[in-house]
Amino acid sequence: MRAGPIISLASIFDVQKQKFRRVLYRGFVSELFVPYMDLTEEWYYRTYFDAGEYGYGSYASSLLPGADCPANAVFMEAYFPDEDGNPQQLPNAFCIFERYAGDIMWRHTETATPVTEVRRDVSLVVRMVSTVGNYDYINDWEFKQSGSIKVTVGLTGVLEVRGSEYTHKDQIHGESYGPILAENTIGSNHDHFLTYHLDLDVDGEQNSFLKSKLETVRVSNSTTSPRKSYWRAVVETQVDFTFVNPNKKTDVGNSVGYRLVPGSVVSPLLSDDDYVQIRGAFTKYNVWVTPYNESEKWAGGVYVDQSRGDDTLAKWSLGDREIVNRDIVLWYTLGIHHVPCQEDFPVMPTLSSGFELRPNNFFERNPVLKAFVSL
Amino acid sequence: MRAGPIISLASIFDVQKQKFRRVLYRGFVSELFVPYMDLTEEWYYRTYFDAGEYGYGSYASSLLPGADCPANAVFMEAYFPDEDGNPQQLPNAFCIFERYAGDIMWRHTETATPVTEVRRDVSLVVRMVSTVGNYDYINDWEFKQSGSIKVTVGLTGVLEVRGSEYTHKDQIHGESYGPILAENTIGSNHDHFLTYHLDLDVDGEQNSFLKSKLETVRVSNSTTSPRKSYWRAVVETQVDFTFVNPNKKTDVGNSVGYRLVPGSVVSPLLSDDDYVQIRGAFTKYNVWVTPYNESEKWAGGVYVDQSRGDDTLAKWSLGDREIVNRDIVLWYTLGIHHVPCQEDFPVMPTLSSGFELRPNNFFERNPVLKAFVSL
């Protein structure tokens, strides 16, 4: 049970075309890399791979109705083998609920002829919590009526702290590897990198990856325009991060696609030649795109912390394989550098990060026009 | 009514200290700069300053109960002068509601002794919608029990489109200044920059701005540690973006503070010498910090599009004034480069961006421990 929740065959019903259209073949957390920055004797080796080393699924927590999920949630149990291979049931491993947070899906007031139209933002959330030791990771996959798939991870639980002789900041002179959070308590600096495996099938299996660069254009001839500059989007073949099906076009000729809207991303700060970073080198870029290969599921390789890093996403990618008009996989890494503060102790308020896969010329026009009026 | 909602004297009740503690003296949208990238004759001058030119408050929309805001919302009217100076009432200009989106404020499952504790994330939202022409801006100020103040703007409404002879992408060869969205319809490329004026009073008026740099430390001597590297946070005086009250410390000696957690930010792409960018130069950096000055409310200056850009945040900042242990103002600009897609037409699903002011050693320990058990 290395993976947590696995989302398969995510599709959206296109009201205009009256059919389901595929977006994502399969999506899951491939690895979760948590290196601590504390070199003291009992700490230097704490550079965890929470999926490959522990099992993101095995550590699923039973969800508390009404607290972990709202009152309208339905729950699903999960089954997995225990350490002796016997089947185990985990009740309430998943919850699924309609979410209405009070947000607006779209609205407009036409000022001259006062007409206001509003549609409420109601979406479907699939949630699973994995408690790996001290941390609780809240995994949300949210499916919106607009076609967006929003993926969020919330980090909460209990901070991993180190005992210390210090009772006040002023007593610390050397390297403490993190701030003092309470008397005799140091909160060690650390990172969280979550790498998602996202096998996109945007309206079919054959997809391409487009990178748009925005470039400033200087207007040199003042007879052309009183303006001196503007920007335009220049699309490069290969890798804004749009995944298109080059074989399918909208009526006006745009390639059918989905766009990656990243949340907060950070890069690793460990040296490339550090043992743990050799294994965790898949965090070096926030976006990788590879052709689908059945054996390439785990960004950190099959053996993770037991390996020399030869079997990882960073190594597979050196092959420079063809990714145009292929069945491609997007690997997306979100990262957080965590310098603890006193509010993180003794329990941590949820800190969230995520990304969104947003339709980009996938529909002929705004699909939420079809949503029911709220009143 | 140049400003939209103005949040004044935002404070949080500290249960441990049994008193209200100030965080924000005043916060509002100072300017909203929307330059279009279309040089055709009827379009090149469309480089709007939606606050200074139009009035972000004057264009407030009456909110529809149950649609713009959830069923539990209460509404407030607003009064402002019309163009002849007569007082006008706008009903339902603001709504205020408790939000529970099904999210978790904090949780932990202790694996060895199966105990699970969960607290639901219930917050207070103040909402106002400003409809400036085609766009509807949804302004949310959200106050969390953790002490966080989360500011979000949602962009929706109707896209500003240009008529065109083209009916298909393949017919377009020259510069179209944006993609084709439907027959005879071009969606012009444009930006949105929202600049917030945030007069922080973190536990008092005298504040300082700390910038933390994370730096990689190489371990050269292998007898020190088997690790080759780690990172540490090095704090520089002046400007991660923490605002502290250097006169107040926690019991263990950390400076009382709040941290800016930015959302998506982008930089302007127009040339510095372009007329509109001279006026909109306050978007050049996403973060500015100035000493409080009563006359410095409007990032684009008093006269905005009527000016030569002499009276703007970019100019005031050249003074290099003292900002240590002063009453300081944080100017934060969030930005979106908008390349329209077909889903944005004919109405636009809400696209959100924002930032968070999060307590950082403001409390002695996690304040949400005091929240009621949800069940």
Side-chain angles (χ1 to χ4, degrees):
Chain A
M1 288 303 294
R2 192 157 166 169
I6 299 174
I7 299 295
S8 294
L9 309 178
S11 307
I12 180 161
F13 187 75
D14 186 325
V15 178
Q16 205 179 354
K17 292 191 158 59
Q18 283 290 309
K19 64 171 188 180
F20 282 99
R21 297 171 67 196
R22 177 81 50 80
V23 178
L24 181 70
Y25 177 74
R26 190 191 282 144
F28 59 91
V29 174
S30 173
E31 193 49 89
L32 171 44
F33 177 36
V34 189
Y36 281 80
M37 296 302 138
D38 195 323
L39 303 194
T40 53
E41 194 172 347
E42 282 298 312
W43 277 77
Y44 76 85
Y45 60 84
R46 298 189 192 200
T47 55
Y48 303 115
F49 293 90
D50 281 350
E53 233 181 307
Y54 290 90
Y56 205 55
S58 317
Y59 282 89
S61 280
S62 265
L63 299 170
L64 286 188
D68 273 321
C69 311
N72 63 332
V74 296
F75 292 83
M76 279 174 62
E77 70 278 18
Y79 297 86
F80 47 86
D82 68 10
E83 281 152 9
D84 301 320
N86 297 314
Q88 293 290 323
Q89 194 214 52
L90 181 78
N92 295 358
F94 297 93
C95 74
I96 302 169
F97 58 95
E98 244 185 40
R99 180 210 295 266
Y100 169 55
D103 289 329
I104 299 169
M105 182 162 67
W106 70 269
R107 83 169 320 278
H108 186 53
T109 297
E110 195 59 44
T111 314
T113 52
V115 174
T116 296
E117 287 281 341
V118 188
R119 299 294 179 278
R120 305 197 297 179
D121 194 11
V122 180
S123 63
L124 189 76
V125 177
V126 179
R127 174 170 298 167
M128 174 265 197
V129 171
S130 181
T131 303
V132 189
N134 54 310
Y135 264 96
D136 298 57
Y137 296 97
I138 305 161
N139 298 277
D140 280 1
W141 289 78
E142 184 175 8
F143 301 92
K144 290 176 171 277
Q145 295 183 71
S146 63
S148 274
I149 301 174
K150 201 169 167 183
V151 184
T152 308
V153 60
L155 280 62
T156 180
V158 173
L159 206 62
E160 200 158 316
V161 294
R162 176 164 55 81
S164 157
E165 63 188 308
Y166 303 123
T167 56
H168 195 279
K169 193 186 178 193
D170 293 347
Q171 299 161 355
I172 307 175
H173 296 297
E175 176 66 89
S176 63
Y177 304 115
I180 183 167
L181 300 183
E183 284 191 16
N184 308 113
T185 308
I186 297 283
S188 297
N189 293 331
H190 59 281
D191 299 316
H192 301 267
F193 294 103
L194 273 99
T195 299
Y196 288 82
H197 173 110
L198 302 159
D199 184 355
L200 295 171
D201 281 3
V202 178
D203 214 17
E205 221 175 64
Q206 306 299 105
N207 290 175
S208 292
F209 183 24
L210 300 182
K211 180 190 178 185
S212 289
K213 200 177 69 177
L214 303 186
E215 67 173 24
T216 303
V217 183
R218 284 289 295 183
V219 180
S220 47
N221 184 345
S222 65
T223 58
T224 315
S225 168
R227 287 271 291 274
K228 290 191 179 175
S229 62
Y230 67 105
W231 58 255
R232 67 178 167 203
V234 185
V235 176
E236 299 167 3
T237 310
Q238 318 292 340
V239 216
D240 272 9
F241 301 134
T242 311
F243 294 82
V244 300
N245 187 324
N247 315 298
K248 302 218 176 150
K249 309 272 185 198
T250 60
D251 289 347
V252 294
N254 291 312
S255 281
V256 159
Y258 258 71
R259 186 163 62 94
L260 169 67
V261 183
S264 62
V265 291
V266 298
S267 296
L269 291 166
L270 292 175
S271 304
D272 286 344
D273 65 341
D274 207 346
Y275 308 107
V276 61
Q277 187 57 31
I278 292 171
R279 293 173 183 134
F282 54 88
T283 59
K284 179 107 183 181
Y285 300 100
N286 298 107
V287 170
W288 307 75
V289 178
T290 60
Y292 175 76
N293 180 324
E294 202 186 339
S295 69
E296 297 176 5
K297 278 203 182 78
W298 312 111
V302 177
Y303 300 110
V304 212
D305 59 317
Q306 306 276 339
S307 81
R308 293 182 180 271
D310 300 325
D311 176 32
T312 66
L313 174 55
K315 281 286 166 72
W316 310 329
S317 298
L318 296 175
D320 201 23
R321 294 165 290 177
E322 190 64 64
I323 55 170
V324 176
N325 207 4
R326 295 288 163 104
D327 184 8
I328 54 179
V329 176
L330 159 64
W331 304 80
Y332 178 78
T333 296
L334 65 85
I336 294 168
H337 294 309
H338 193 166
V339 179
C341 63
Q342 288 182 237
E343 282 78 9
D344 295 336
F345 183 79
V347 298
M348 260 191 68
T350 305
L351 182 68
S352 292
S353 187
F355 62 93
E356 194 172 343
L357 296 167
R358 211 172 155 102
N360 196 78
N361 302 320
F362 186 86
F363 296 104
E364 290 296 333
R365 61 186 63 89
N366 186 344
V368 303
L369 271 177
K370 303 279 184 182
F372 292 112
V373 176
S374 306
L375 288 179
Chain B
M1 289 303 295
R2 194 158 166 168
I6 299 174
I7 299 296
S8 294
L9 308 180
S11 307
I12 182 162
F13 188 74
D14 185 326
V15 178
Q16 206 179 354
K17 291 190 158 60
Q18 283 291 307
K19 64 171 187 179
F20 282 100
R21 297 171 67 195
R22 178 80 51 79
V23 177
L24 181 69
Y25 176 74
R26 188 192 283 144
F28 60 92
V29 174
S30 174
E31 195 48 89
L32 171 45
F33 177 37
V34 189
Y36 281 80
M37 297 300 138
D38 195 324
L39 302 194
T40 53
E41 194 173 344
E42 282 298 310
W43 277 79
Y44 76 85
Y45 60 83
R46 300 190 191 199
T47 55
Y48 304 116
F49 292 90
D50 281 352
E53 234 182 305
Y54 291 90
Y56 205 57
S58 317
Y59 282 89
S61 281
S62 264
L63 299 170
L64 287 186
D68 274 320
C69 311
N72 63 333
V74 295
F75 292 84
M76 276 174 63
E77 71 279 16
Y79 296 88
F80 48 85
D82 67 11
E83 282 152 6
D84 302 319
N86 298 312
Q88 293 290 322
Q89 195 214 51
L90 181 79
N92 293 0
F94 296 94
C95 74
I96 301 169
F97 59 94
E98 244 185 42
R99 179 210 296 267
Y100 170 55
D103 289 329
I104 299 169
M105 183 162 68
W106 69 270
R107 85 172 314 282
H108 186 54
T109 297
E110 195 58 43
T111 314
T113 52
V115 175
T116 296
E117 287 281 342
V118 189
R119 298 295 180 277
R120 306 197 298 178
D121 193 10
V122 180
S123 63
L124 188 77
V125 177
V126 178
R127 175 171 296 168
M128 175 267 195
V129 172
S130 181
T131 304
V132 188
N134 56 308
Y135 264 96
D136 299 56
Y137 296 96
I138 305 161
N139 298 278
D140 281 0
W141 288 79
E142 184 174 9
F143 301 91
K144 290 176 171 277
Q145 295 183 72
S146 62
S148 273
I149 301 174
K150 201 170 168 182
V151 183
T152 308
V153 59
L155 282 60
T156 180
V158 174
L159 207 61
E160 199 158 317
V161 294
R162 177 163 56 81
S164 156
E165 64 188 307
Y166 303 122
T167 57
H168 195 279
K169 193 187 179 192
D170 293 348
Q171 299 162 355
I172 307 175
H173 296 298
E175 176 65 90
S176 62
Y177 305 115
I180 184 167
L181 300 183
E183 284 191 13
N184 308 113
T185 307
I186 297 283
S188 297
N189 294 330
H190 59 280
D191 298 316
H192 300 267
F193 293 103
L194 274 99
T195 300
Y196 289 83
H197 173 110
L198 302 159
D199 183 355
L200 295 171
D201 281 2
V202 177
D203 215 16
E205 221 175 67
Q206 307 299 106
N207 291 174
S208 295
F209 184 24
L210 300 182
K211 179 189 179 187
S212 290
K213 200 178 68 176
L214 302 186
E215 68 172 24
T216 304
V217 183
R218 285 287 297 183
V219 180
S220 48
N221 185 347
S222 65
T223 58
T224 315
S225 169
R227 287 271 289 274
K228 289 192 179 176
S229 62
Y230 67 104
W231 58 255
R232 66 179 166 201
V234 184
V235 177
E236 300 169 0
T237 310
Q238 320 290 344
V239 216
D240 240 37
F241 300 135
T242 313
F243 294 82
V244 300
N245 187 326
N247 316 300
K248 302 220 175 146
K249 308 272 185 200
T250 61
D251 288 348
V252 294
N254 292 313
S255 281
V256 159
Y258 259 70
R259 187 163 62 94
L260 169 66
V261 183
S264 62
V265 291
V266 298
S267 297
L269 291 166
L270 293 176
S271 303
D272 286 342
D273 65 341
D274 208 345
Y275 308 107
V276 61
Q277 187 58 31
I278 291 170
R279 292 173 184 134
F282 56 87
T283 59
K284 180 107 182 180
Y285 299 99
N286 299 108
V287 170
W288 308 75
V289 179
T290 61
Y292 175 76
N293 180 324
E294 202 187 339
S295 70
E296 298 176 5
K297 278 203 181 76
W298 311 111
V302 176
Y303 301 110
V304 213
D305 59 318
Q306 306 276 342
S307 82
R308 292 180 181 275
D310 300 324
D311 176 33
T312 66
L313 175 55
K315 282 287 167 72
W316 310 329
S317 298
L318 296 174
D320 202 23
R321 293 166 290 176
E322 189 65 64
I323 54 169
V324 176
N325 207 3
R326 294 289 162 105
D327 184 9
I328 54 180
V329 176
L330 160 65
W331 304 81
Y332 177 78
T333 296
L334 65 86
I336 294 168
H337 294 309
H338 193 167
V339 180
C341 63
Q342 289 183 235
E343 283 77 10
D344 295 336
F345 183 77
V347 298
M348 260 191 67
T350 304
L351 183 68
S352 293
S353 187
F355 62 93
E356 195 172 342
L357 296 168
R358 211 172 155 103
N360 196 78
N361 301 322
F362 186 85
F363 296 104
E364 289 298 331
R365 61 186 63 90
N366 186 345
V368 303
L369 271 177
K370 302 280 184 180
F372 292 112
V373 177
S374 305
L375 288 179

